Amino acid sequence: INRYSEPGKGTTFKIYWPASSSETDIDVMKSNAPAVLNHQNETILVVDDDDDIRDLTEDVLKSYDYQVIAASSGEQALEIYSRKKESIDLILLDLNMPGMGGHKCLIELMKINPRVRVLITSGYSANGQVREPLKQGASGFIGKPYQINELLAMLRKLLD
């Protein structure tokens, strides 16, 4: 994290995330993650407006033999869920997206299916902006950036 600040002009933060797109990187992450128990070839709908996060999450989940459907917005997630709700076991939903946003998407998903399992992801703490979606029926929360082993453990907890 780099910070640049000038009095009266403001502050700029630059955050650099490690790049991880090669098979070797995924294999290393996979070797550090717990074994996925009771896996039944479940389908996860990954909803995130950040292409890199969505793609990496999709790749990792697929490497653990999950079926993955990806959506880049709340609107797209609703359209997909409306068509495929019987085959989607859990939704991994980013809370902070342009357009509809994750909170409104959660409300609309619950209108379609009040028992839908939604794991909220956010860079905000569970005590802040995430509190209301959890009260309204989200199944759980995992903070960003999440570790692969934490994500896999949370998925198993909610799916089992």
Side-chain angles (χ1 to χ4, degrees), residues 89-103:
D89 298 292
L90 186 136
I91 300 170
L92 184 62
L93 178 65
D94 181 27
L95 199 56
N96 304 301
M97 296 182 290
M100 174 181 284
H103 187 198

Side-chain angles (χ1 to χ4, degrees), residues 45-51 53-54 57 71-75 77 91-106 109 118-124 129-130 133 140-146:
L45 173 58
V46 177
V47 187
D48 201 306
D49 63 310
D50 185 299
D51 295 338
I53 293 172
R54 188 180 61 251
T57 303
S72 60
S73 68
E75 294 86 351
I91 300 170
L92 184 62
L93 178 65
D94 181 27
L95 199 56
N96 304 301
M97 296 182 290
M100 174 181 284
H103 187 198
K104 184 166 184 193
C105 182
L106 170 68
L109 287 165
V118 179
L119 177 57
I120 296 289
T121 68
S122 176
Y124 293 99
Q129 187 180 10
V130 178
F141 165 74
I142 188 166
K144 284 183 178 179
Y146 43 79

Side-chain angles (χ1 to χ4, degrees), residues 16-30 32 50-60 63 146-148:
Y16 297 91
W17 300 97
S20 180
S21 60
S22 74
E23 293 293 325
T24 303
D25 292 336
I26 291 173
D27 289 342
V28 167
M29 288 186 291
K30 192 172 178 179
N32 292 328
D50 185 299
D51 295 338
D52 293 332
I53 293 172
R54 188 180 61 251
D55 293 345
L56 180 60
T57 303
E58 182 177 2
D59 289 346
V60 169
S63 76
Y146 43 79
Q147 298 294 313
I148 297 304

Side-chain angles (χ1 to χ4, degrees), residues 8 18 22 27 43 61 67 69 85 88 102 125 128 141-142 144 160:
S22 74
D27 289 342
T43 299
L61 292 177
Q67 301 299 312
I69 303 169
K85 62 183 165 276
I88 296 174
S125 78
F141 165 74
I142 188 166
K144 284 183 178 179
D160 292 341

